Amino acid sequence: MHSDGGIGEAASLPDGEVCRRLGVGEAGLSAGEAAGRLAVYGPNAVASHRARVLPVLWHQVRSPLLGLLLVAALASAFLGEGTDAVIIGVIVALSVGLGFANEYRAERAAQALHSQIRHRTVAIRDGRPVSVDVTELVPGDLVELRLGDVVPADVRLLEVTGLECDESVLTGESLPVEKATAPVPPGSGLGDLSSAALMGTVVHAGAGRGVVVATGGRTAFGRIAAGLSTGQTETEFQAGLRRFSMLLVYVAGALTTSIFVINVVLDKPILDALLFSLAIAVGITPQLLPAVVSTSLAAGSRRMMRRKVLVKRLVCIEDLGDVNMLFTDKTGTLTQGRISFMRAVPVDGGSPDDTLRWGLLCTETAVVDGDAVGGNPLDVALWESPAAAAHRGVLDGYRRLSTLPFDHERRLVSVLVADDADQRILVTKGAPETVLGRCTDVPEVARRVLDAEFAAGNRVVAVATRRAGDVTALTVDAERDLRLAGLLVFLDPPKADAAAALQRLAGLGIAVKIVTGDNAAVAEKVCRELGLPVTGTLSGADIDALDDAALTGAISTTTVFARVSPEHKARLVRLQRPAIGGVAFLGDGVNDALALHAADVGISVDSATDVAKDAADVILLEKDLDVLADGVVEGRRIFANTIKYVLMGTSSNFGNMFSAAGASLFLPFLPMLASQILLNNLLYDSSQLAIPTDNVDEEQLRRPSHWDIRFIRRFMLFFGPISSVFDFATFAVMLWVFHAGEHLFQSGWFVESLATQTLVIFAIRTRRVPFLRSHPSLSLTLTALAAVTVGALLPGSPIAATLGFQPLPGGFFAALATMVVCYLGLIEAGKRLFYGAPARAPVPAPMPARRHQRRRAAYFSIGHRRRPAA
């Protein structure tokens, strides 16, 4: 069977016929055959994460203002003003090149990040289970499917045990679909392919094995992913950038139109008036804002990679900075995450060896050459314990007949085994409260022992058995009338550095809430040992008893949420987002996926289950709260530096352009040529590219960062006119003191406007007193001074005449120094008045549509490192 036949055809054929057509037996493909098929079919990917030159370049030149400006410059060239046209063209090209170089560098950084995030699956090759990258699967591969797996390709099922798949990403159906191996009628719809597991769907319950029929773009999900927009879903930070840019576009549009109409009415040359108006518009629009943001993100991502934090998208770094509440599991974050088996506690006269033996038999973990492969951490810890090593030989006397896999509704796993005498025994293992609820005649001493273990902070799993001669098919109904065999006790001690990390998060204004499937007493003890105050505890049953309004109010006064289900976790996150915004969820299990999707920032770890990594925005290579705090600080640092550029553009830059518009009304000539405005803007923007390296005041890192367009608008209307006051003072000095003509006036105002709008960064970058209580970075200081120096030297340079400049008298620079000092002093005084008004936080945005499909498409993506050989 050729893979292009499709999963629909394979689902309608007997499984043996499908395997025959794909040329695969029970041992799976050989490594050589898999490599050959990979060369034929290509990688199992539906998306690409490669930095591409043309899209980045288009992002720089797509501004309609730039297009109009270039058209007007060409028109002026045809009318005999070729020099001006060339100058404008060169300056625009330099500006575009500057933005392109920085943004492309950031794209390369994103590509490097993506190449670090890998998703793996278990395939049978050469008769052995091996872990392979999902992009390396080929048609004919035999794959294992377990709870929480994202199905890695379109798979025809060969074996199933209670297998159910969540196919909502494909069909929109919220209920999981039960799977079987029997062929379906030919022509069945996508939602009726019960004998197939489809790429991108999630194993909701049970387990299975199947053969890969289609990969990559040939899958049902691949065809859907190809129809999705190639652009990523807009984040809250990007939405803020867009709203700010639109604000300036409206301002620029109104100002440009007014300037052009007024200049035409005053009988100034139409072409000069058009070029001047368009140059003003370009000066106001934040042309290099994407480059500044990209440079900040690229630098931040490199710092975070050194701290072992990977982000799926660079802009997620800023979203981390807006976090003010974190929901997290305790395992691996508050505790060491290195679970060790301590002891088996028998009940009712049994022996520890019996309890241990039943615990080892009741597992989903596969054993290859004596090593545990897959399975949950408790099972792996039990198998690898010294106590278990002495009992592994005894297990050879039992045959496993059937397994009922663990799921988060039952919180149990059961196996049906037969001993040497062919007597059937049902063994069930799981959460103690659940197991005890299915047992008969539980001794009171067992409950006391269990409470004591919980109070000591230990993790406990209960094991129960019964004779099962009546059981032919292992189902949930068989988990009844059990006899408690004993308890398995595990130790997961608190992390030595977790207490300091919790204090650091508190200092960043982040409230930490513990959500765990473990017992409440265990979670409370860990919290107390680490100094995290437990203000309240709610169980899953308590959460069910509260309506949304009551639960929203209870979240703020509750520290521990214990014995919670996946739905409980997601509900907590969903209710908290509208209440405060900035909600992060840290989880690594199957039961965390719903909450990870619902959170503003989903955080997982590199060792997490497939579905958890798929749902997360941020991947921690170490499950460490201190590393997470680093990410939050980095997000706030980047946001703070981005806002510095924004505030610069809405104060002095806007003020200078407004002044140019006003001066054109009473001057017999243009206050600055179009080419001079663009050159001024290029020098100014070049100096601002060092903003990402700037230092950030400590108080800015202690609170969440978010966009507030109302605040930016107030800042523009408050500080813009202050800049204009000094521009008009310059006009007065040039006209009445130096009696300047056209070129001298333009030269003087070029130097003054560049100096004031560039040097004001030292005042605007901090709410403190600059240089005394807040120090800028060396790079920012040098680039700002360099831009001002170049601007001051241009009127006296050999190319001055070409640019329309003429040398300035020495007295001008004395006046310039005085005005700059007075300007910065007035800005300082204005800061004291302006920052007295409180800011208002934005309302969190609803979750964007099709977000889950785009996230799932990113799971099956290929970066530069995976490009197949030709």
Side-chain angles (χ1 to χ4, degrees):
M1 175 179 176
H2 195 277
S3 73
D4 289 346
I7 190 63
E9 178 186 348
S12 65
L13 294 173
D15 52 13
E17 176 63 16
V18 174
C19 290
R20 187 188 66 79
R21 294 190 184 188
L22 287 168
V24 63
E26 293 184 0
L29 299 177
S30 67
E33 176 65 18
R37 295 191 185 192
L38 184 62
V40 172
Y41 294 110
N44 180 34
V46 299
S48 171
H49 277 259
R50 298 192 186 104
R52 292 175 293 174
V53 171
L54 291 180
V56 176
L57 183 60
W58 170 246
H59 191 250
Q60 300 299 315
V61 301
R62 66 182 179 180
S63 166
L65 290 175
L66 282 181
L68 287 172
L69 188 62
L70 291 175
V71 169
L74 288 173
S76 68
F78 283 115
L79 295 176
E81 299 181 14
T83 302
D84 285 349
V86 170
I87 293 172
I88 291 173
V90 169
I91 293 172
V92 169
L94 287 173
S95 180
V96 168
L98 193 64
F100 169 79
N102 282 277
E103 197 159 347
Y104 185 69
R105 184 184 181 194
E107 287 290 317
R108 294 295 298 270
Q111 176 181 299
L113 277 177
H114 179 77
S115 69
Q116 300 295 317
I117 302 172
R118 303 180 181 229
H119 300 280
R120 307 190 71 82
T121 190
V122 176
I124 308 299
R125 288 183 178 173
D126 295 311
R128 298 167 57 87
V130 294
S131 176
V132 300
D133 195 296
V134 294
T135 63
E136 296 172 1
L137 283 180
V138 295
D141 261 326
L142 297 183
V143 293
E144 302 279 0
L145 300 177
R146 296 179 180 175
L147 178 65
D149 285 352
V150 176
V151 179
D154 279 356
V155 175
R156 173 61 166 94
L157 295 169
L158 307 176
E159 302 173 13
V160 297
T161 305
L163 182 64
E164 295 180 1
C165 289
D166 176 357
E167 297 182 346
S168 58
V169 72
L170 287 178
T171 65
E173 176 59 51
S174 59
L175 295 177
V177 178
E178 187 174 346
K179 296 296 181 179
T181 59
V184 300
S188 296
L190 198 64
D192 298 321
L193 302 181
S194 60
S195 61
L198 304 174
M199 173 191 261
T201 62
V202 178
V203 178
H204 177 267
R209 174 183 287 195
V211 60
V212 173
V213 173
T215 58
R218 302 178 186 89
T219 63
F221 181 76
R223 291 188 287 272
I224 292 176
L228 293 176
S229 167
T230 55
Q232 293 286 344
T233 304
E234 185 177 63
T235 68
E236 190 65 21
F237 179 81
Q238 289 173 310
L241 279 178
R242 177 177 47 78
R243 290 193 295 268
F244 164 69
S245 298
M246 290 306 300
L247 169 66
L248 288 195
V249 166
Y250 293 142
V251 172
L255 203 55
T256 301
T257 303
S258 302
I259 293 170
F260 178 71
V261 170
I262 292 171
N263 276 274
V264 171
V265 170
L266 294 176
D267 292 328
K268 294 181 181 177
I270 291 180
L271 188 58
D272 288 346
L274 178 61
L275 284 169
F276 177 73
S277 302
L278 290 173
I280 288 289
V282 171
I284 292 177
T285 53
Q287 189 176 341
L288 280 192
L289 180 59
V292 170
V293 172
S294 298
T295 303
S296 296
L297 291 171
S301 70
R302 287 190 293 272
R303 285 192 292 268
M304 293 181 74
M305 282 181 71
R306 288 194 292 269
R307 293 292 298 167
K308 300 186 177 180
V309 180
L310 301 179
V311 289
K312 289 185 177 178
R313 297 168 57 199
L314 290 176
V315 290
C316 294
I317 299 174
E318 281 119 338
D319 289 336
L320 265 178
D322 196 24
V323 168
N324 54 19
M325 180 172 287
L326 170 68
F327 290 93
T328 178
D329 190 8
K330 64 178 179 60
T331 304
T333 50
L334 303 186
T335 64
Q336 293 180 7
R338 293 192 297 271
I339 301 172
S340 58
F341 174 67
M342 295 174 64
R343 58 183 171 272
V345 181
V347 298
D348 201 18
S351 72
D353 291 346
D354 290 340
T355 303
L356 181 59
R357 182 180 73 252
W358 296 128
L360 289 170
L361 282 170
C362 187
T363 180
E364 296 177 75
T365 303
V367 179
V368 179
D369 296 334
D371 296 323
V373 178
N376 66 67
L378 291 172
D379 277 348
V380 173
L382 180 63
W383 179 262
E384 295 179 348
S385 66
H391 290 77
R392 292 176 186 171
V394 179
L395 305 182
D396 295 336
Y398 294 87
R399 289 180 295 113
R400 185 184 302 184
L401 304 178
S402 182
T403 302
L404 189 60
F406 178 89
D407 66 59
H408 294 282
E409 285 76 21
R410 292 164 41 247
R411 293 188 293 169
L412 299 172
V413 58
S414 292
V415 298
L416 182 64
V417 298
D419 60 17
D420 288 338
D422 208 28
Q423 290 187 330
R424 294 189 172 196
I425 304 165
L426 173 67
V427 188
T428 298
K429 182 174 71 177
E433 298 92 333
T434 309
V435 173
L436 266 61
R438 286 166 167 76
C439 291
T440 58
D441 301 325
V442 177
E444 187 59 33
V445 65
R447 299 185 186 277
R448 290 198 298 269
V449 170
L450 179 61
D451 291 340
E453 295 290 356
F454 282 150
N458 297 324
R459 300 186 66 172
V460 183
V461 172
V463 184
T465 64
R466 76 173 175 90
R467 295 289 180 182
D470 60 324
V471 177
T472 55
L474 189 52
T475 64
V476 174
D477 293 336
E479 296 173 329
R480 56 176 174 76
D481 301 328
L482 301 170
R483 184 186 67 81
L484 183 63
L487 307 175
L488 301 173
V489 182
F490 299 83
L491 177 64
D492 186 14
K495 277 187 176 178
D497 56 354
L502 287 170
Q503 291 179 353
R504 188 178 174 201
L505 288 172
L508 293 171
I510 299 175
V512 177
K513 307 291 183 181
I514 308 303
V515 288
T516 178
D518 211 340
N519 183 270
V522 176
E524 289 173 355
K525 184 175 188 299
V526 171
C527 290
R528 285 194 297 270
E529 289 181 1
L530 295 174
L532 178 64
V534 179
T535 55
T537 300
L538 288 177
S539 68
D542 296 330
I543 293 173
D544 287 332
L546 298 174
D547 60 23
D548 286 354
L551 182 56
T552 301
I555 290 174
S556 60
T557 58
T558 303
T559 304
V560 174
F561 301 88
R563 292 299 192 207
V564 290
S565 68
E567 290 74 18
H568 291 144
K569 296 178 181 182
R571 185 183 175 203
L572 291 170
V573 171
R574 279 197 301 267
L575 291 178
Q576 197 63 11
R577 282 190 69 241
I580 63 169
V583 174
F585 186 92
L586 195 164
D588 60 0
V590 180
N591 55 337
D592 297 320
L594 289 175
L596 286 166
H597 272 301
D600 293 296
V601 182
I603 306 165
S604 193
V605 294
D606 193 42
S607 58
T609 58
D610 285 351
V611 71
K613 286 200 290 186
D614 168 57
D617 301 297
V618 178
I619 305 292
L620 305 181
L621 297 185
E622 291 183 0
K623 196 173 182 183
D624 188 337
L625 289 180
D626 205 43
V627 171
L628 178 60
D630 289 338
V632 171
V633 169
E634 194 60 45
R636 294 180 184 180
R637 186 190 312 280
I638 291 173
F639 186 90
N641 283 334
T642 302
I643 286 294
K644 291 173 187 177
Y645 179 85
V646 168
L647 297 183
M648 288 282 288
T650 54
S651 55
S652 61
N653 197 23
F654 170 74
N656 284 339
M657 296 303 103
F658 184 79
S659 301
S664 67
L665 300 181
F666 63 82
L667 288 175
F669 49 82
L670 293 175
M672 209 184 292
L673 298 177
S675 59
Q676 293 169 347
I677 291 176
L678 293 174
L679 180 59
N680 185 298
N681 194 50
L682 177 63
L683 289 172
Y684 161 76
D685 275 339
S686 299
S687 71
Q688 304 312 296
L689 283 175
I691 284 180
T693 69
D694 193 25
N695 303 318
V696 177
D697 296 338
E698 188 65 29
E699 59 269 19
Q700 289 182 276
L701 302 177
R702 287 200 296 263
R703 61 179 184 272
S705 52
H706 47 67
W707 284 93
D708 189 342
I709 296 300
R710 289 183 293 269
F711 168 81
I712 295 171
R713 189 185 300 118
R714 284 196 306 115
F715 194 96
M716 178 175 67
L717 296 177
F718 186 90
F719 288 99
I722 296 177
S723 174
S724 293
V725 167
F726 285 88
D727 288 331
F728 283 103
T730 302
F731 299 161
V733 169
M734 297 306 298
L735 293 173
W736 298 332
V737 176
F738 298 109
H739 308 289
E742 178 179 356
H743 295 306
L744 184 61
F745 181 95
Q746 291 168 345
S747 302
W749 189 47
F750 175 90
V751 173
E752 183 272 340
S753 66
L754 181 61
T756 52
Q757 74 173 346
T758 301
L759 296 178
V760 76
I761 182 60
F762 298 120
I764 287 178
R765 59 170 293 277
T766 177
R767 298 189 183 189
R768 301 177 180 179
V769 178
F771 296 105
L772 297 179
R773 297 187 59 236
S774 179
H775 302 284
S777 70
L778 179 61
S779 297
L780 180 62
T781 303
L782 292 178
T783 54
L785 294 178
V788 173
T789 301
V790 170
L793 293 176
L794 276 176
S797 69
I799 60 172
T802 304
L803 297 173
F805 294 135
Q806 72 179 67
L808 292 162
F812 168 80
F813 291 100
L816 174 66
T818 301
M819 284 189 289
V820 168
V821 170
C822 292
Y823 174 53
L824 296 180
L826 189 56
I827 290 292
E828 278 301 305
K831 280 163 54 178
R832 302 293 177 270
L833 179 64
F834 178 81
Y835 286 119
R840 295 167 62 186
V843 177
M847 199 67 67
R850 308 195 86 174
R851 180 187 186 196
H852 297 343
Q853 284 187 334
R854 287 192 176 91
R855 274 181 165 176
R856 194 62 50 79
Y859 182 94
F860 301 101
S861 58
I862 185 168
H864 180 75
R865 67 178 175 85
R866 299 182 184 133
R867 182 174 296 175

